[in-house]
Structures are given as C-alpha cells and as structure tokens.
Amino acid sequence: KQEVTQIPAALSVPEGENLVLNCSFTDSAIYNLQWFRQDPGKGLTSLLLIQSSQREQTSGRLNASLDKSSGRSTLYIAASQPGDSATYLCAVVMDSNYQLIWGAGTKLIIKP
Amino acid sequence: DGGITQSPKYLFRKEGQNVTLSCEQNLNHDAMYWYRQDPGQGLRLIYYSQIVNDFQKGDIAEGYSVSREKKESFPLTVTSAQKNPTAFYLCASSTSGMSSYNSPLHFGNGTRLTVT
C-alpha cells in the first residue's frame, strides 16, 4: 500500500532563505507527483506536476525534483518571502489505478 | 472567472441530522471529487464522479452520499450514519478522469462542518 510522508510537519525560516521541503513515497510505481499549496482555511492550489519520466519541473522561484527509484521528491523555494507561508502538500498518482495518494503536508512559516 | 464554489463556508449541525454541502463549478470539467481533510492526515477521497449521472465510492464513502445530476454540480450529503463527521470538506474538479492524470485538480475553498 502506497504511503506518502512529508517531514517535517512544520518549518519556520527567516525571510530570504532558500529552503527545501521533502516528500517521500514507498511505492515507486507512480504516474506522476504533484505539489500543492494550501492557505489557512482555504482550498488547495496546484503548484507543479512532475511526470514519472521527468526529473524536475520549475515555476518561478519553485523547483520540484523527483527521484522515483529512491521514492523521494523535493520542493525547493528560492529567496523565501512571507507570502510563501502556507501548508505544502504532495500527492502521487499511482500507475496501477490512477488513484491520488496524499501526504499530510508541511506547514511553512516565513518570518519577516 | 472560472472556479469552484463551495457553500456554506461554515456549517454547524446537531448529531443525528443529515446535512448537504454544495459544490458548483463553471470550469466545464467532467470529473468532480469530494475529499475530507483532518488535522495531521492526508486528504482522503470520499466520492468521485467522472461524468454526469455516474459516481463511485472513494476510500471513506461510508456515511456519505452524492448525486451528479448536472455537470456543474456535485453535492455531498453527510448522513447521521457518519460516525465522526466534524471535518474540513474539499470539493475538486479536473478535466479528465480519475485523480486528474496529467490535469491538475482545481479546488474550492472548502466547508468546515462541525457536528455537536
């Protein structure tokens, strides 16, 4: 059974720092991996989608990498800003049934 | 602007009452989903629908029911049979079938249900 883990559950860093959020999964038979952002009390916004054949995707200050063989993905945020404060969730789409399996998220706080 | 509207934002009910959460989308998406979010856990799929008049159970369908009579609408009813209904409920949609494949999910802003 696929399990998606995001550690740490919470992270606080000063403004301006580059940071990395982690996502690990136990079953490498994935179709793609997706990163989302959730602001408090709101829905989720899609940030990046990486196909299983890809190694990384970039959007602005965000860069997501995927290492399928080791079951890991990272979300790199450059030059962090207070507006980046949110919960970041990763999810994998399974190859077998296209089911989406979610991590519990990392709550990120950027201190001004 | 296209998007997904969930209403109400907050909902309070007494135990034993059924309650219906609204989800409407104007994105012309075929697929719609209902997720439940609890603190410290990943999202869990309640029901999904890939096309009008068709829907399937997700991982935690017990105590919930849905309908899909129109493409734009996918209401969720939380019945009195749901043992622990207090949670944050998220509706989502996508252009293609189950779990979006390569098309990202679009989410509403959620409904926080409190049952006492």
Side-chain angles (χ1 to χ4, degrees):
Chain A
K1 181 187 169 189
Q2 176 73 277
E3 291 184 6
V4 179
T5 305
Q6 292 184 251
I7 295 174
L11 181 64
S12 180
V13 300
E15 180 180 3
E17 281 198 7
N18 302 327
L19 60 98
V20 172
L21 304 179
N22 298 300
C23 174
S24 62
F25 46 96
T26 55
D27 185 345
S28 62
I30 64 170
Y31 186 76
N32 65 46
L33 184 144
Q34 303 180 32
W35 282 94
F36 293 81
R37 168 187 172 133
Q38 184 177 29
D39 292 295
K42 302 282 190 182
L44 282 68
T45 301
S46 177
L47 296 174
L48 290 164
L49 185 154
I50 312 177
Q51 301 288 0
S52 61
S53 58
Q54 296 176 321
R55 298 286 292 183
E56 64 179 89
Q57 281 284 344
T58 298
S59 176
R61 293 183 294 108
L62 305 180
N63 176 279
S65 69
L66 174 64
D67 184 342
K68 236 179 66 162
S69 61
S70 67
R72 296 174 67 175
S73 175
T74 61
L75 180 66
Y76 174 83
I77 302 177
S80 59
Q81 305 169 358
D84 294 329
S85 298
T87 296
Y88 291 81
L89 297 95
C90 70
V92 299
V93 174
M94 300 302 297
D95 243 347
S96 55
N97 57 11
Y98 301 107
Q99 187 179 10
L100 202 62
I101 309 295
W102 294 82
T106 294
K107 183 176 181 179
L108 176 64
I109 298 173
I110 307 298
K111 297 175 290 187
Chain B
D1 284 338
I4 300 179
T5 301
Q6 289 188 243
S7 60
K9 186 173 176 64
Y10 299 97
L11 194 50
F12 298 88
R13 280 293 182 270
K14 294 289 188 186
E15 198 173 306
Q17 294 179 332
N18 291 355
V19 60
T20 297
L21 283 60
S22 170
C23 177
E24 303 278 332
Q25 56 100 357
N26 60 5
L27 298 167
N28 199 33
H29 285 172
D30 288 314
M32 296 187 75
Y33 315 83
W34 274 105
Y35 286 96
R36 171 179 172 141
Q37 186 176 34
D38 294 284
Q41 297 187 40
L43 273 67
R44 292 183 289 170
L45 183 64
I46 305 172
Y47 267 98
Y48 65 97
S49 168
Q50 297 185 49
I51 198 168
V52 174
N53 292 323
D54 184 60
F55 48 83
Q56 282 80 42
K57 293 181 179 180
D59 300 320
I60 56 165
E62 185 176 348
Y64 300 97
S65 66
V66 294
S67 63
R68 186 86 187 274
E69 297 175 1
K70 298 187 299 182
K71 188 175 185 178
E72 306 80 34
S73 179
F74 191 41
L76 173 74
T77 296
V78 184
T79 75
S80 56
Q82 168 50 231
K83 290 182 172 52
N84 185 19
T86 294
F88 189 53
Y89 291 88
L90 287 161
C91 179
S93 70
S94 68
T95 57
S96 61
M98 180 56 190
S99 298
S100 79
Y101 294 84
N102 287 328
S103 60
L105 290 172
H106 295 254
F107 281 85
N109 280 330
T111 292
R112 185 164 299 280
L113 173 65
T114 302
V115 176
T116 58

